[in-house]
Amino acid sequence: GESVGLHLPTLSVQEGDNSIINCAYSNSASDYFIWYKQESGKGPQFIIDIRSNMDKRQGQRVTVLLNKTVKHLSLQIAATQPGDSAVYFCAENINQAGTALIFGKGTTLSVSS
Amino acid sequence: KAGVTQTPRYLIKTRGQQVTLSCSPISGHRSVSWYQQTPGQGLQFLFEYFSETQRNKGNFPGRFSGRQFSNSRSEMNVSTLELGDSALYLCASSPDSMADTQYFGPGTRLTVL
């Protein structure tokens, strides 16, 4: 099928630009998706989540898009700031009776000012 | 509310030893999940505890075990340590065991020599 967006291990942007981080998830039965941000030396920090009955969800400066047809998730960060520099992970929940999350490989976002 | 806390933050052990890591969830959270993070394998789910019972288990050998106490605090134990067990061990808590936002602690960095 058509590749909607490729996973890139690194992404470099200028301060003020919009960033788009892509993720392909593995299980069509997954019904809950989360984006986490992990800074060096810290645990993953929750950014935004979306359930499978939605296509889009917006937060503060962030938007998550879900395309179930091609099993693709994206995170859009508006007006990227140096403080956004981190590794970003998407995660899917494939066990509705528990909390087991399956994580993607992660994208390192570098923001230069 | 205080976040998820993990102790110790850093640990150095030698092969063959065993280790116990501790996690205190966010107050009121009853589900605790453990993850292993390595550069090669990324973030992998170990197990989840809810109301002192193991609800989910990932694909790890029996040397990895855990438990949860009545106050929701959790411990994980790794016996007969191997070099490959060197990793960042992350604990996450959520209000209950259904698909819900998980909040991560800072992790315990385990080095096996």
Side-chain angles (χ1 to χ4, degrees), chain B residues 5-50:
Chain B
T5 58
Q6 293 186 245
T7 58
R9 292 293 312 279
Y10 302 91
L11 207 49
I12 300 175
K13 293 286 188 179
T14 57
R15 279 180 298 176
Q17 288 186 310
Q18 73 167 12
V19 67
T20 299
L21 312 181
S22 180
C23 171
S24 292
I26 292 171
S27 177
H29 286 192
R30 294 191 297 164
S31 171
V32 174
S33 298
W34 288 89
Y35 293 82
Q36 181 196 64
Q37 186 174 28
T38 60
Q41 300 299 317
L43 277 149
Q44 293 184 289
F45 172 75
L46 279 158
F47 32 65
E48 179 219 354
Y49 285 87
F50 177 75

Side-chain angles (χ1 to χ4, degrees), chain B residues 9-104:
Chain B
R9 292 293 312 279
Y10 302 91
L11 207 49
I12 300 175
K13 293 286 188 179
T14 57
R15 279 180 298 176
Q17 288 186 310
Q18 73 167 12
V19 67
T20 299
L21 312 181
S22 180
C23 171
S24 292
I26 292 171
S27 177
H29 286 192
R30 294 191 297 164
S31 171
V32 174
S33 298
W34 288 89
Y35 293 82
Q36 181 196 64
Q37 186 174 28
T38 60
Q41 300 299 317
L43 277 149
Q44 293 184 289
F45 172 75
L46 279 158
F47 32 65
E48 179 219 354
Y49 285 87
F50 177 75
S51 292
E52 301 178 63
T53 301
Q54 187 180 89
R55 290 292 301 266
N56 281 297
K57 189 176 189 305
N59 189 26
F60 278 82
R63 299 185 297 106
F64 292 81
S65 63
R67 60 177 176 168
Q68 187 179 35
F69 302 95
S70 58
N71 61 358
S72 294
R73 190 177 70 85
S74 177
E75 291 181 345
M76 69 163 282
N77 183 278
V78 188
S79 62
T80 319
L81 284 165
E82 301 177 359
L83 295 180
D85 297 332
S86 294
L88 181 68
Y89 289 89
L90 293 157
C91 165
S93 77
S94 63
D96 62 32
S97 67
M98 299 305 291
D100 206 342
T101 304
Q102 291 182 53
Y103 297 92
F104 282 82

Side-chain angles (χ1 to χ4, degrees), chain A residues 11-30:
Chain A
L11 178 64
S12 296
V13 301
Q14 293 284 324
E15 181 179 2
D17 287 351
N18 296 330
S19 303
I20 299 177
I21 300 172
N22 295 306
C23 174
Y25 63 92
S26 61
N27 194 320
S28 56
S30 295

